[in-house]
Amino acid sequence: MQSPFTIQELVIPEAIAGGDVLAKAPTGSGKTIAFAVPLVERTDPKAQTPSALVLVPTRELASQVAGECAALSASMGLRVAAVYGGAPLRAQAKRAAGAHILIATPGRLQDLVERKLLSLSNIRTLVLDEADRMLDMGFKPQVERIVRRLPVQRQTMLFSATLDGEVGELARSFTKNPSRFETEEKPDRNEAEVSHRFESVSAEGKVERLIQELEAERGLALVFVRTKRGADRLAKRLARHDVAAIALHGDMTQSARERALERFRSGKIKTLVATDVAARGLDLVDITHVINFDPPEDDKGYVHRVGRTGRAGRTGSGVTFVTPEQQGDVSRVAARLGHREQFENAGMRSAPLKRVYTSRRGRRSKW
């Protein structure tokens, strides 16, 4: 990083001064450093129990945030621990109890606290990272119960892609006179650095077309599929064609997921086949290609998926495979996101836009 990202320049001075912060920033905008630096600066290495808590929605994000905090705090004598589901509970509890900075998913943290394996009575700083996604994933009750256990006198920082609706309500109840910062800046500083391409394919020819994409000059490639079984099946089919790939999905054990991510992160395996849930929080600057082998369910899914590439000033490419029966739905997403021209350049016709209805109880209709 040559210079601080906007969110870092805005947040760090206020956070180091001890003020509450509300920050609207997209995933990958440099926000982890924006709260990690103040945490390290304000945490007392003499503390015997955790004094800083970062709540995150997924275990992958917990591991990544813990890694960044550990790198910053190594010279300060601070211990950092990550707490998330799918790993041995007692061992996590022991590490967490002796840490200065705690990174946790809400479910596992609540479990440890209710079993009296961990105390939050000394927490002086709370960070809610990707608060919108925590609510989307149904963690609001756990988050509220955790926050009720924290000291009233504390610093609170909330980071989210949106600050309205439920997130806004959460912010009002958790913070006191917060400073509010907003930035739409992407880490690449230029949205045009991520190219968007749509490929017309047949169901029978999708794998062959994917192999052609993966054999091109590239860095790491993240391939999205719709189902867990589909991830396993596609990784095996690629292997039969001498394309080294590994699957990542929710049915894998935590140790298997971590091994898969490490092999991908290190570049030993350059192709990761993943489901949406498994790839949440994945933030690797070396991902040059995101390939939607199966199209995402909606606009938000497309943005989240393709947003995995083009990080930290790098260029990236988002490629979406479209079968004939998917063309109408995918064309509407492309049009709403400003990619109609790229869609039609692939020789496909755009369908008329449809009104999409949303209810508070019901799920948003597809596309």
Side-chain angles (χ1 to χ4, degrees), residues 225-237 247 249 273 275 293-294:
V225 294
R226 189 171 53 86
T227 66
K228 301 167 188 175
R229 288 183 62 189
D232 283 330
R233 190 161 51 240
L234 182 56
K236 290 175 182 175
R237 291 184 70 178
H249 56 72
V273 183
T275 57
F293 186 80
D294 295 325

Side-chain angles (χ1 to χ4, degrees), residues 74-88:
S75 62
M76 307 286 284
L78 300 176
R79 295 180 296 276
V80 179
V83 167
Y84 46 78

Side-chain angles (χ1 to χ4, degrees), residues 65-330:
V65 171
E68 292 197 46
C69 288
L72 287 172
S73 63
S75 62
M76 307 286 284
L78 300 176
R79 295 180 296 276
V80 179
V83 167
Y84 46 78
L89 186 142
R90 295 280 173 178
Q92 272 193 353
K94 186 175 181 180
R95 286 194 298 272
H100 296 96
I101 300 173
L102 189 58
I103 320 297
T105 55
R108 173 52 65 93
L109 181 61
Q110 184 186 339
D111 193 13
L112 291 180
V113 171
E114 290 183 347
R115 291 171 183 249
K116 300 189 184 305
L117 295 173
L118 182 64
S119 170
L120 302 178
S121 61
N122 195 40
I123 297 296
R124 296 293 175 262
T125 304
L126 167 68
V127 178
L128 299 169
D129 188 20
E130 302 204 2
D132 55 323
R133 287 174 59 205
M134 275 195 276
L135 296 184
D136 285 345
M137 295 170 71
F139 285 131
K140 185 179 180 182
Q142 292 97 320
V143 171
E144 290 178 331
R145 282 195 285 271
I146 289 166
V147 172
R148 282 198 293 268
R149 292 177 177 270
L150 304 180
V152 175
Q153 297 301 320
R154 66 171 190 273
Q155 178 187 29
T156 301
M157 293 184 271
L158 183 148
F159 292 79
S160 177
T162 176
L163 291 177
D164 52 17
E166 272 195 304
V167 176
E169 294 172 12
L170 208 67
R172 284 188 289 274
S173 62
F174 291 171
T175 60
K176 297 176 182 177
N177 301 317
S179 297
R180 179 169 173 145
F181 304 104
E182 297 190 15
T183 174
E184 298 297 330
E185 179 184 65
K186 305 296 186 199
D188 56 19
R189 314 287 175 114
N190 183 351
E191 288 189 30
E193 291 195 30
V194 177
S195 66
H196 300 266
R197 182 156 49 89
F198 299 84
E199 293 284 342
S200 176
V201 297
S202 65
E204 300 77 21
K206 281 176 73 175
V207 174
E208 183 179 346
R209 184 70 192 88
L210 176 61
I211 291 169
Q212 292 173 1
E213 288 286 343
L214 295 176
E215 287 178 341
E217 184 69 26
R218 62 179 175 84
L220 302 181
L222 178 57
V223 180
F224 279 102
V225 294
R226 189 171 53 86
T227 66
K228 301 167 188 175
R229 288 183 62 189
D232 283 330
R233 190 161 51 240
L234 182 56
K236 290 175 182 175
R237 291 184 70 178
L238 290 173
R240 288 199 293 270
H241 288 85
D242 297 321
V243 177
I246 194 164
L248 182 74
H249 56 72
D251 281 351
M252 297 166 63
T253 66
Q254 180 62 21
S255 59
R257 288 160 63 99
E258 289 178 352
R259 284 196 301 272
L261 280 172
E262 180 53 37
R263 293 176 71 190
F264 184 58
R265 185 178 289 111
S266 67
K268 292 178 182 176
I269 298 288
K270 293 178 64 177
T271 302
L272 184 71
V273 183
T275 57
D276 286 299
V277 172
R280 278 178 175 155
L282 193 61
D283 185 7
L284 301 176
V285 297
D286 292 327
I287 295 176
T288 60
H289 287 67
V290 169
I291 301 173
N292 293 316
F293 186 80
D294 295 325
E297 289 197 352
D298 52 25
D299 304 25
K300 187 176 180 181
Y302 182 93
V303 172
H304 278 166
R305 285 184 178 190
V306 178
R308 301 300 107 196
T309 189
R311 319 286 274 196
R314 310 288 183 93
T315 58
S317 177
V319 183
T320 301
F321 288 176
V322 189
T323 61
E325 61 271 19
Q326 295 168 337
Q327 286 186 17
D329 289 339
V330 177

